[in-house]
Amino acid sequence: MIPYLVSQFAKSTLSNLVKESFGSDFPDIFSKKQVDYLFRYLKDLGAKSILLEFDYVDKDFLEDYSLYYVKRFSSAGNKCARLHFFSTEVMHSTIEKALHYGNADNPRSHLQASYLGFIVVKPLPKTFIGKTCLKRYDSMTGSLNKKCISRRYDVDLFGIKLHVDSVAFQEQDKEVSACATTAIWAALHAMKSRNVRDIPACSEITINAINHIDGSSNHFPSKELSNKQILRALDVERLRNHLLKLENVSQQRFVECVKFHVDSGLPMILGADAYRVTNDRAIQKLAGHAVTVVGYRLEHGEKEPALYIHDDRLGPFARATFVKITDYHGSERIRPEWGLELQSKDDSANWQQAHEVLVPTSLTIPTNRKVRLPYEFAQATCQFIQQEYETWVGTIAESKSDAGVMPSVHYSLQLREISEIRQEIICYDFAHHGMERDKQNVQKLEQQKVSFLTGSYARFHWQAEFKVNSEPALRIFFDATDIPQGKGISAILELNIANAQLLMMQLRQISKLAIDSLEVDNFCTALLRQLKEPEEDYPNYLTETFGGLRAPAYLKEQEVKGGEVAKNANSKKYYGVCHDTIEAELEHMLDKNDPKTHLIWAIAHDGCLLVGLDLEGVGHPSLTAFKPARIAGELWRTEEGWRINSSSGRYSRDYPNSQQLLANALEKFQMIFYRSRDQITSYVK
């Protein structure tokens, strides 16, 4: 038997290729609306060819088979078929050429460029649509108003390497899974942090969900899973779940929640009551249902906001448009007063009249187990900032006629890993990305950037980015592993000083007032405390005046004795003024007969001035005992007096402002040896 068949893409060929795989008794696949949807979806993608791969072993069905179907007397076996779709004409000779040339660029790249994805067909007479990974619509990518989660699926077609960016879909298998099981399975696939091969099959998810729950027994369900069972299944996967009840949640808040999480690459499991829509716009309740939210469309122009969902009764990336429930007859007692209208296209790619409405009841958000802080705390803090700014603008509007041109403020929120954040920030160009035009401000921002990058942070953060008139202003990082009673805010990073100050000016005024009375479901108190003008402290003064701490660049062999750094026996420490002259203090260390003898000096970590003789082969580390220090250099006795420089290859090697630091060190010398002030000068070696 030939291992594959290739044909043109059409309804009739699609149906007959499936029948060819499992025999003429296999039911007509177009009696299913899921297949109808998939055909029209692929038609919109421009499908031209189908390749049927016989005897395909699918990991998910193999697990379902071993747990349940293997005991079926009339079992059709554990082998599946797989349909591959291409947007160009593919023939048997095309595949044979690719097989002959291996993964050479030309044959493989031709197939990859036109590859649209695959559908696994299970040997089940009714629920035969298995793992399905199809390319997203082009309109779902690269748009500011639309976004869909996806991940890369590697495909091995007889050794030909292909891939498709998608989120796996399959229809509900009523024997080993409920709709919620399929929604959980799709959500796990949408999480890029999960290894595809480690994601359990639907049968295993169902067993995990119904075990250990009161009233459950160890059998597969004949009805939907409860919220408690959904959460149990996620617990077994070592995920943290954040459950949001939607009865009293507004549509705007719900859309914001979806956007924040989709932008973070996180899918959501939406629990809903399904209602059938009659011809006279009345709605009749059907049953509870669960779908996976994988994308959104924001309101733009005449287009209403919508979600993109994986609905096991329809298909992948199905569009669900927001509607008012009150527009339907019989909706008087339904809450919330908004819902999602499901539509599908006909064979001519025209949208059909809505056939069903979902009224959301709950939203379950699976995250990494370390993420303990839900998005609401970060969002509430961001709303506080936005509201305070708008209040300030409103005050100006009352006194100035041109307040209408005041800049607008918007924010976005994402859950991100600190490694990803650092990789972005390290390449951040404040002049280009941050639109910072002042060179001195750019230097200041670069210093903040270094300080941020070298800080210590938790793995997960809610990142809030504020923009003023679409220009970057600042980012606030909320520790997503913290608890609500914690500090919450890890860092504030300015991206544009003028825009950042515009936001923080009013907040700093508030921070001077009593702030402990703010509500506890946000981190506004922590924010205001962090925005208070920093008090001058001695360590910061030392860093600005004498440079940041540096470890010695290296040690010479003769500087180490018995595993310890040799100490300079002639060293002296000066914490304050010395009432003797510099000659009385230091000249006795020098050899008057050797003009090359000189002293070395360093500013210690605590600001102490260290001075000692430069012994042959033993340098500055002998003064500091290998401890971190600041600017350091040499001290020479000349006919004109005493001269210092910053020539230290161990400590002063990379200060960008070494001349300024040397000038500050000279002032310290002159202050300590005040009686010899006029005799001490500096020079650049």
Side-chain angles (χ1 to χ4, degrees):
M1 179 179 175
I2 188 170
Y4 66 93
L5 293 173
V6 182
S7 182
Q8 289 185 345
F9 177 79
K11 261 191 175 184
S12 57
T13 55
L14 181 60
S15 176
N16 282 289
L17 282 175
V18 174
K19 287 183 177 182
E20 181 68 22
S21 178
F22 295 111
S24 58
D25 292 336
F26 206 76
D28 183 356
I29 67 172
F30 282 101
S31 64
K32 296 174 66 66
K33 61 182 179 181
Q34 292 100 325
V35 178
D36 235 4
Y37 175 92
L38 290 170
F39 171 77
R40 292 162 184 165
Y41 186 93
L42 284 160
K43 185 178 179 182
D44 284 346
L45 289 179
K48 295 289 191 297
S49 306
I50 312 174
L51 184 150
L52 170 61
E53 178 185 359
F54 292 99
D55 292 336
Y56 176 71
V57 178
D58 178 65
K59 179 188 82 71
D60 290 281
F61 181 70
L62 195 62
E63 290 185 21
D64 292 343
Y65 181 83
S66 65
L67 286 171
Y68 185 75
Y69 292 109
V70 69
K71 296 181 180 180
R72 179 184 171 209
F73 178 75
S74 57
S75 170
N78 61 357
K79 295 290 182 68
C80 300
R82 187 163 61 161
L83 297 169
H84 301 269
F85 302 91
F86 300 88
S87 61
T88 57
E89 184 179 357
V90 174
M91 298 181 290
H92 279 80
S93 59
T94 309
I95 303 302
E96 289 176 359
K97 184 178 179 181
L99 293 173
H100 286 162
Y101 286 95
N103 279 307
D105 285 342
N106 288 340
R108 191 196 71 83
S109 60
H110 169 72
L111 289 172
Q112 177 57 59
S114 64
Y115 190 59
L116 301 178
F118 64 86
I119 298 175
V120 171
V121 182
K122 298 184 287 188
L124 300 176
K126 295 181 180 180
T127 56
F128 52 80
I129 300 176
K131 184 178 180 180
T132 298
C133 296
L134 298 179
K135 179 183 175 183
R136 296 169 297 169
Y137 287 127
D138 290 338
S139 62
M140 292 179 179
T141 61
S143 171
L144 296 175
N145 301 302
K146 291 182 183 179
K147 188 162 187 177
C148 272
I149 298 170
S150 72
R151 71 181 303 161
R152 175 154 294 188
Y153 290 87
D154 292 320
V155 179
D156 177 10
L157 178 60
F158 310 126
I160 302 170
K161 294 180 180 179
L162 301 172
H163 64 260
V164 61
D165 292 335
S166 183
V167 172
F169 164 85
Q170 67 173 314
E171 73 169 312
Q172 174 188 346
D173 184 337
K174 294 179 173 61
E175 298 296 328
V176 299
S177 67
C179 60
T181 307
T182 313
I184 294 170
W185 180 85
L188 294 175
H189 271 271
M191 300 179 72
K192 291 183 181 180
S193 60
R194 310 285 295 184
N195 188 314
V196 172
R197 293 188 177 276
D198 294 335
I199 296 172
C202 286
S203 55
E204 188 176 346
I205 292 174
T206 301
I207 291 172
N208 293 337
I210 63 179
N211 280 348
H212 313 292
I213 299 295
D214 292 341
S216 292
S217 57
N218 195 10
H219 60 79
F220 291 107
S222 59
K223 59 181 181 179
E224 69 272 7
L225 300 180
S226 66
N227 274 338
K228 192 173 182 180
Q229 290 172 324
I230 292 174
L231 300 182
R232 169 61 190 166
L234 295 176
D235 285 342
V236 173
E237 293 303 310
R238 296 191 60 78
L239 294 171
R240 188 174 297 277
N241 54 74
H242 303 277
L243 180 63
L244 182 64
K245 297 289 187 180
L246 300 176
E247 182 177 356
N248 298 313
V249 173
S250 68
Q251 177 181 316
Q252 179 183 351
R253 184 186 168 197
F254 176 77
V255 171
E256 288 175 346
C257 176
V258 169
K259 183 180 184 303
F260 295 153
H261 290 94
V262 170
D263 288 349
S264 305
L266 293 173
M268 290 143 283
I269 300 167
L270 180 65
D273 291 327
Y275 289 80
R276 183 171 67 88
V277 180
T278 64
N279 292 332
D280 60 351
R281 298 288 288 175
I283 54 176
Q284 299 173 351
K285 188 172 182 179
L286 298 173
H289 190 45
V291 298
T292 309
V293 180
V294 293
Y296 63 82
R297 182 184 73 188
L298 300 179
E299 185 175 358
H300 181 64
E302 297 181 356
K303 293 186 176 181
E304 295 293 325
L307 299 184
Y308 294 104
I309 62 175
H310 275 24
D311 187 343
D312 67 274
R313 302 166 310 157
L314 190 58
F317 303 111
R319 193 181 77 182
T321 308
F322 284 91
V323 293
K324 292 181 179 179
I325 297 298
T326 52
D327 291 344
Y328 296 95
H329 303 303
S331 62
E332 291 77 11
R333 296 184 179 181
I334 299 176
R335 293 293 182 274
E337 296 182 346
W338 54 272
L340 295 163
E341 193 175 64
L342 294 177
Q343 290 177 282
S344 57
K345 293 182 178 180
D346 58 23
D347 287 349
S348 300
N350 297 316
W351 287 103
Q352 298 175 310
Q353 184 177 354
H355 65 280
E356 195 172 285
V357 171
L358 298 179
V359 178
T361 56
S362 65
L363 189 68
T364 304
I365 307 159
T367 66
N368 186 285
R369 201 168 188 83
K370 293 181 180 293
V371 179
R372 295 191 290 186
L373 201 67
Y375 82 100
E376 289 99 331
F377 286 83
Q379 184 192 26
T381 308
C382 293
Q383 287 176 336
F384 170 77
I385 296 172
Q386 193 174 41
Q387 290 167 3
E388 287 300 323
Y389 174 80
E390 290 172 354
T391 301
W392 176 60
V393 170
T395 304
I396 295 176
E398 295 177 359
S399 57
K400 294 185 179 181
S401 59
D402 60 347
V405 298
M406 288 292 290
S408 60
V409 169
H410 304 281
Y411 70 89
S412 59
L413 197 60
Q414 283 181 273
L415 181 67
R416 304 182 70 187
E417 290 197 40
I418 189 62
S419 58
E420 178 191 4
I421 294 170
R422 279 180 167 142
Q423 288 162 17
E424 179 191 356
I425 295 300
I426 199 170
C427 300
Y428 197 88
D429 185 337
F430 293 100
H432 176 64
H433 301 114
M435 301 182 182
E436 181 59 71
R437 298 165 183 85
D438 187 283
K439 290 184 178 180
Q440 290 185 344
N441 284 347
V442 170
Q443 291 179 355
K444 182 178 179 181
L445 292 170
E446 289 290 349
Q447 291 176 356
Q448 291 184 20
K449 169 180 165 180
V450 171
S451 178
F452 172 81
L453 291 172
T454 54
S456 178
Y457 306 99
R459 178 180 172 187
F460 292 97
H461 281 77
W462 285 105
Q463 173 190 283
E465 178 166 351
F466 281 85
K467 291 189 175 183
V468 175
N469 278 352
S470 301
E471 291 188 3
L474 56 83
R475 290 183 186 177
I476 302 176
F477 298 94
F478 300 87
D479 181 358
T481 68
D482 205 347
I483 58 175
Q485 297 94 330
K487 178 184 176 183
I489 297 177
S490 297
I492 299 175
L493 182 66
E494 297 181 17
L495 306 177
N496 180 293
I497 288 183
N499 291 338
Q501 293 304 316
L502 187 65
L503 275 176
M504 295 191 293
M505 184 166 45
Q506 176 66 8
L507 295 174
R508 284 203 169 106
Q509 292 298 319
I510 299 173
S511 69
K512 297 176 182 178
L513 306 174
I515 56 178
D516 292 327
S517 59
L518 293 172
E519 297 180 9
V520 295
D521 59 350
N522 56 50
F523 291 115
C524 298
T525 301
L527 171 70
L528 295 177
R529 284 181 179 147
Q530 192 152 339
L531 286 177
K532 281 187 175 182
E533 294 292 345
E535 297 179 2
E536 290 291 337
D537 59 18
Y538 193 55
N540 284 335
Y541 161 77
L542 291 176
T543 297
E544 291 180 8
T545 309
F546 303 113
L549 290 171
R550 300 282 193 272
Y554 58 90
L555 279 175
K556 297 177 182 178
E557 185 177 348
Q558 55 269 41
E559 289 176 332
V560 181
K561 295 181 180 180
E564 295 185 359
V565 177
K567 295 182 180 180
N568 193 316
N570 297 308
S571 63
K572 289 193 173 187
K573 297 181 179 181
Y574 297 94
Y575 287 97
V577 297
C578 176
H579 298 293
D580 285 331
T581 63
I582 192 170
E583 290 85 355
E585 276 289 309
L586 304 176
E587 195 165 23
H588 68 276
M589 296 185 189
L590 299 173
D591 185 351
K592 296 181 180 180
N593 298 321
D594 185 359
K596 293 184 178 180
T597 59
H598 62 278
L599 306 176
I600 53 176
W601 62 270
I603 304 296
H605 67 283
D606 56 0
C608 172
L609 174 63
L610 307 174
V611 182
L613 182 63
D614 187 15
L615 303 172
E616 184 176 355
V618 181
H620 285 90
S622 66
L623 279 182
T624 64
F626 198 68
K627 291 181 179 179
R630 306 177 190 277
I631 190 86
E634 300 171 337
L635 174 61
W636 290 81
R637 179 72 165 100
T638 67
E639 294 180 358
E640 293 79 15
W642 296 81
R643 304 187 71 191
I644 68 168
N645 61 41
S646 59
S647 179
S648 171
R650 322 289 187 93
Y651 287 104
S652 303
R653 61 194 181 279
D654 64 347
Y655 288 116
N657 59 337
S658 59
Q659 292 190 25
Q660 180 59 53
L661 299 181
L662 177 61
N664 295 338
L666 174 62
E667 287 187 11
K668 188 172 185 71
F669 266 94
Q670 293 173 337
M671 179 190 71
I672 292 173
F673 301 108
Y674 67 95
R675 295 182 63 183
S676 307
R677 180 182 184 87
D678 296 337
Q679 299 177 37
I680 308 172
T681 58
S682 65
Y683 72 102
V684 178
K685 188 174 180 179

